[in-house]
Amino acid sequence: GGSYEHIVVSKPATGVRLVTLNRPKALNALFSPLIAELNHALFDADKDPEIGAIVITGSEKAFAAGADIKEMKDKTVAEVYGKDFIENWNDQTRVKKPIIAAVNGYALGGGCELALMADIIYAGEKAVFGQPEIKLGVIPGAGGTQRLARYIGKARASELILTGRNFSAQEALEWGMVAKVFKPEELVDQAVKTAAEIAQFSPLAVKAAKEAINEGYNLSLEQGLKYERRVFHTLFGTEDQKEGMAAFAEKRKASFTGK
Ligand code: CAA
């Protein structure tokens, strides 16, 4: 629910919140009011016990064509540094429930970076990714130089960021940045289907799995494995663990309650 101007929020399946970026005249260029609404909708879904997973999408033409260049162009360093411009774009990474970015069309600059913050990226066959900031006299500012390098490797990320060239859904799939590619018209349905599948599992286990994966990115393998094991151990304190394993032994479908 909620009354938003630049996004549309819906519930396309049990347990799923779909957030559609909706600023078509500017190809979903990311300006502050849109980011504020997106963050509001994400945290709202994160708090809602009925919701187990979130899908973020745009239109068939554009997921998002990047930060709003017209909003940015006259900003001074005092403004951007002083007000920590785009720092709140990272808020998506504080959401505890899984987020699937369903990318059709352009995902450029901040649009690509927004997708990179999601847990899973699904792309339409004609999706166009890129970090073109170098052409504007700047660099990616919302994780492009960091996440892209970690996800697809330093050599590929450097080539893309230093030339600003676009890359395709197929390339992103080959490099492991995108999990799956679909026909454009099937993309959102497929993302919702996956989100619904996730939403039927124990929300405690789902939260723990996401947390362990993301925590590991900042740790050594040894520390990460230890962290994972501790979280795994903790789940034995949940009713959902008892239910999940009992259901397997009794050859029936588990019914999770989040307890
Ligand atoms: N900011 C502001 N407005 C944008 C925009 C953006 N990033 N991208 C598109 N628009 C606007 C256009 O100005 C145009 O508006 P008008 O009709 O008022 O002129 C409208 O959206 C439609 O765009 P085009 O006419 O350009 O559409 P196209 O199909 O010919 O081209 C495109 C599409 C290749 C995506 C082209 O719009 C484009 O190159 N956009 C800019 C992409 C870009 O450089 N993004 C990076 C931004 S910097 C950044 O994101 C920083 C960061 O890391 C946080």
Side-chain angles (χ1 to χ4, degrees):
S3 56
Y4 297 112
E5 201 178 330
H6 309 292
I7 62 173
V8 176
V9 170
S10 63
K11 194 177 175 189
T14 304
V16 180
R17 183 69 51 85
L18 174 63
V19 181
T20 306
L21 309 183
N22 186 34
R23 197 190 170 203
K25 284 189 188 132
L27 302 182
N28 292 332
L30 303 165
F31 69 155
S32 308
L34 188 154
I35 293 291
E37 291 188 0
L38 173 63
N39 287 339
H40 185 277
L42 293 176
F43 287 119
D44 188 61
D46 212 22
K47 277 185 298 208
D48 187 339
E50 301 290 310
I51 299 300
I54 302 160
V55 177
I56 303 176
T57 195
S59 67
E60 280 208 17
K61 167 118 205 225
F63 179 74
D68 189 319
I69 299 166
K70 294 165 194 165
E71 186 194 40
M72 273 188 303
K73 71 183 192 25
D74 295 321
K75 284 191 190 291
T76 64
V77 72
E79 283 171 331
V80 294
Y81 178 62
K83 293 182 183 161
D84 249 326
F85 178 56
I86 74 174
E87 200 237 357
N88 68 335
W89 290 31
N90 267 302
D91 284 3
Q92 186 191 146
T93 63
R94 290 195 286 115
V95 171
K96 305 289 170 58
K97 289 173 184 169
I99 298 176
I100 303 175
V103 177
N104 264 328
Y106 295 110
L108 301 178
C112 185
E113 293 170 303
L114 212 61
L116 288 167
M117 289 176 211
D119 299 289
I120 301 169
I121 304 177
Y122 278 0
E125 280 166 355
K126 292 180 193 149
V128 176
F129 297 92
Q131 297 289 164
E133 289 89 345
I134 201 83
K135 298 177 183 171
L136 299 169
V138 291
I139 67 168
T145 66
Q146 305 302 304
R147 290 198 181 91
L148 202 59
R150 288 176 197 212
Y151 297 173
I152 69 172
K154 179 172 174 287
R156 286 174 185 137
S158 297
E159 193 242 358
L160 294 170
I161 291 165
L162 294 173
T163 65
R165 81 164 172 90
N166 291 341
F167 56 104
S168 67
Q170 278 309 325
E171 286 177 290
L173 180 70
E174 271 170 40
W175 299 335
M177 175 184 138
V178 156
K180 280 183 178 166
V181 173
F182 297 97
K183 291 199 176 10
E185 65 276 15
E186 291 169 8
L187 171 72
V188 176
D189 285 350
Q190 291 292 336
V192 167
K193 208 174 132 196
T194 298
E197 199 180 326
I198 294 168
Q200 57 160 356
F201 296 127
S202 166
L204 300 170
V206 168
K207 181 177 178 176
K210 170 168 175 164
E211 186 179 315
I213 292 167
N214 290 337
E215 195 70 22
Y217 258 92
N218 298 320
L219 299 174
S220 68
L221 179 61
E222 194 182 340
Q223 292 168 316
L225 290 168
K226 187 168 174 184
Y227 188 85
E228 177 194 65
R229 209 156 50 238
R230 291 291 171 261
V231 176
F232 172 73
H233 292 158
T234 303
L235 290 170
F236 283 73
T238 67
E239 289 176 19
D240 281 345
Q241 174 266 334
K242 298 289 174 285
E243 164 63 11
M245 294 191 183
F248 175 84
E250 292 160 22
K251 300 190 191 296
R252 60 173 173 84
K253 189 173 168 5
S255 170
F256 296 113
T257 58
K259 287 180 185 153

